[in-house]
Amino acid sequence: MAILDLLELGDLIMSWRLYVGIAITAAICFGIMQVAPTDTVGWAISIPVGLIGLFLSFRWQIRND
């Protein structure tokens, strides 16, 4: 791994798009947990939604750079 690869990774982590995507994902998962009838159902729905949200956040960041 070269130094430039580490700098690109740092740019990815420090982008505002990534943080906005994570915040939106967290808000959606929090809302799911609030309206789910039980914790088990809430977790079962929130985990896939959270993983998809994180993936889309990274993808949004990478596409716009």
Side-chain angles (χ1 to χ4, degrees):
M1 223 176 173
I3 291 287
L4 293 177
D5 291 337
L6 291 174
L7 291 174
E8 288 179 18
L9 183 63
D11 287 340
L12 174 71
I13 293 172
M14 295 304 293
S15 173
W16 64 270
R17 287 179 189 91
L18 181 66
Y19 293 123
V20 168
I22 290 171
I24 291 171
T25 301
I28 291 171
C29 288
F30 180 75
I32 290 170
M33 291 300 286
Q34 293 298 313
V35 298
T38 63
D39 285 341
T40 305
V41 172
W43 281 108
I45 297 170
S46 292
I47 289 174
V49 169
L51 291 175
I52 291 169
L54 288 176
F55 172 74
L56 291 176
S57 298
F58 279 114
R59 187 171 172 207
W60 181 33
Q61 169 55 34
I62 291 169
R63 269 183 48 192
N64 286 319
D65 279 346

